[in-house]
Amino acid sequence: MSFNKSRGGAAVLGGGDELVLRGTISKKWTLLLCLASFCIGLIFTNRALDKTISNLEMELASAKASQEESELNGAPLSESTGKRRYFMVIGINTAFSSRKRRDSLRATWMPQGEKRRKLEEEKGIIIRFVIGHSATSGGILDRAIDAEDRKHGDFMRLDHVEGYLELAAKTKSFFVTALSMWDAEYYIKVDDDVHVNIATLGNILAKHRSKPRAYIGCMKSGPVLAQKGVRYHEPEYWKFGEWGNKYFRHATGQLYAISKDLASYISINQHVLHKYANEDVSLGAWFIGLDVEHVDDRRLCCGTQPDCEWKAQAGNVCAASFDWSCSGICKSADRMKEVHQRCGENDSAIWSAKF
């Protein structure tokens, strides 16, 4: 190191040594600044982490409280979604012209008002009339349904154009929409001219919980009708083999139930599922080739009185009753009350049932 003498005799650093000293001081300050920044960042990070942990603890506590409350109210939660898990969703297929049929169900086996809310909360059973919209959406027919829904609050509206020849599409739309709205074990389609004993239906379904892909109904195998102009004509009859052949086994269309796995399958593959002329045949076709458990239970297709009445007296209550000759209860709007009185289960049956 070299020293230069100033006029006062004091030693001063040379130019090169001054740069070295400055560089040393600069490195020390850089190190100190980095250390200070790290400490400050660590403090803020810890505070943020503490806040995040605190928020998570609050959310977990809230979720646990909600789950405990739900369990106390008899409402289990889905493990996969955390949403309320229902037992079954019953969709009643109806049309714009069927107001009297709907009122006949509201007056008999379909609970109303507070009882319907209690049925949903305590038993996990959802019941809705299922309808789409008219060809002129927003027209007089749609407005009439809107008014009826405001009064009763028991409709499920589909993004579907109503029409008898579109029942297969409507059925598919029902399962897809119901699955998106409610997480349930079973999804049921029933016509609005069929009498249903809800508790008996629930007891039947509860016995098949161990079957993940259950397809439940009255299984049949009717003829494939190739002749044009007849009811239930099948335009694609040639796909089923020779003239006069029968369909594969499938559930009759008045009432059938499918488990959640099958409803999910329909939802996932909805755009590639082929629709035949008849909706019950279409549903059965969608499950061909799948590992599906076909459950044939004749309590789901009893006749009206005296058939269902005799069975009820014998202790073998029917889950669903209708007239085969009419593919539903003949003149159901007028006769539903009588069928309910003579074939309906006890009023307390649903409330005492354990599913």
Side-chain angles (χ1 to χ4, degrees):
M1 181 181 291
S2 62
F3 292 89
N4 292 324
K5 293 287 185 176
S6 65
R7 288 182 180 179
V12 297
L13 293 173
D17 296 315
E18 185 178 356
L19 290 174
V20 171
L21 184 58
R22 287 178 179 177
T24 303
I25 294 172
S26 178
K27 289 179 180 179
K28 289 180 179 179
W29 277 108
T30 300
L31 181 61
L32 288 172
L33 287 172
C34 289
L35 183 60
S37 298
F38 174 76
C39 292
I40 292 170
L42 187 61
I43 291 171
F44 281 108
T45 300
N46 286 337
R47 288 180 178 177
L49 185 59
D50 289 342
K51 187 175 181 180
T52 301
I53 293 173
S54 177
N55 288 338
L56 287 173
E57 289 175 343
M58 290 175 64
E59 291 176 5
L60 287 172
S62 176
K64 184 178 179 181
S66 297
Q67 182 173 0
E68 289 175 350
E69 180 181 0
S70 178
E71 289 173 351
L72 287 173
N73 292 331
L77 298 178
S78 169
E79 294 181 0
S80 60
T81 64
K83 294 168 58 178
R84 165 70 195 270
R85 186 75 185 272
Y86 291 92
F87 177 43
M88 60 179 172
V89 176
I90 302 175
I92 306 173
N93 180 43
T94 193
F96 291 113
S97 60
S98 298
R99 175 62 188 266
K100 289 184 177 180
R101 286 186 179 182
R102 292 191 291 273
D103 286 341
S104 73
L105 299 192
R106 293 179 179 122
T108 53
W109 64 265
M110 182 180 181
Q112 295 296 294
E114 181 62 23
K115 288 186 177 180
R116 182 162 62 87
R117 184 195 65 79
K118 183 180 178 182
L119 188 69
E120 295 179 3
E121 293 186 358
E122 295 186 9
K123 300 300 180 181
I125 299 174
I126 303 290
I127 306 177
R128 295 289 189 275
F129 288 109
V130 179
I131 196 166
H133 57 82
S134 64
T136 54
S137 185
I140 188 172
L141 295 176
D142 297 295
R143 293 198 299 271
I145 294 296
D146 291 339
E148 190 178 343
D149 194 25
R150 284 193 296 270
K151 180 179 179 180
H152 297 283
D154 55 6
F155 278 92
M156 175 182 171
R157 305 299 296 272
L158 303 178
D159 183 14
H160 166 80
V161 178
E162 285 290 319
Y164 182 78
L165 297 178
E166 296 298 326
L167 286 180
K170 184 177 182 179
T171 298
K172 180 166 62 175
S173 180
F174 160 63
F175 286 126
V176 171
T177 306
L179 180 70
S180 69
M181 295 176 67
W182 299 287
D183 182 3
E185 295 182 58
Y186 293 101
Y187 298 85
I188 299 97
K189 175 263 177 181
V190 60
D191 289 337
D192 62 5
D193 54 357
V194 173
H195 180 269
V196 176
N197 282 320
I198 303 172
T200 304
L201 174 61
N203 288 328
I204 290 173
L205 299 182
K207 293 180 180 179
H208 302 288
R209 277 183 161 137
S210 61
K211 302 165 184 172
R213 293 172 298 280
Y215 173 34
I216 305 169
C218 284
M219 299 296 162
K220 66 174 185 177
S221 182
V224 180
L225 301 179
Q227 184 179 350
K228 292 183 178 180
V230 300
R231 192 179 185 187
Y232 306 129
H233 165 63
E234 178 57 72
E236 296 180 271
Y237 63 89
W238 59 274
K239 289 185 178 180
F240 298 92
E242 300 302 320
W243 186 289
N245 275 3
K246 290 186 176 182
Y247 287 113
F248 41 78
R249 287 281 174 181
H250 61 278
T252 187
Q254 286 82 1
L255 185 150
Y256 45 71
I258 62 173
S259 60
K260 181 184 176 180
D261 280 7
L262 294 183
S264 298
Y265 172 81
I266 292 173
S267 179
I268 293 169
N269 298 284
Q270 58 181 297
H271 300 298
V272 295
L273 294 177
H274 185 71
K275 300 184 294 293
Y276 289 99
N278 303 301
E279 49 101 3
D280 52 355
V281 171
S282 296
L283 183 70
W286 299 339
F287 301 148
I288 291 292
L290 301 184
D291 187 12
V292 173
E293 184 84 21
H294 288 62
V295 178
D296 181 24
D297 195 313
R298 310 317 285 184
R299 288 174 293 173
L300 296 172
C301 56
C302 295
T304 57
Q305 63 270 23
D307 181 40
C308 58
E309 187 175 17
W310 288 344
K311 290 176 179 176
Q313 291 172 355
N316 189 26
V317 179
C318 294
S321 302
F322 56 89
D323 299 310
W324 283 103
S325 60
C326 296
S327 296
I329 296 176
C330 300
K331 300 181 180 179
S332 65
D334 299 323
R335 294 183 57 225
M336 186 64 69
K337 185 176 181 180
E338 180 188 3
V339 174
H340 184 65
Q341 289 173 341
R342 298 175 67 175
C343 301
E345 58 197 2
N346 189 286
D347 289 341
S348 62
I350 186 61
W351 310 115
S352 60
K354 302 292 183 182
F355 301 127

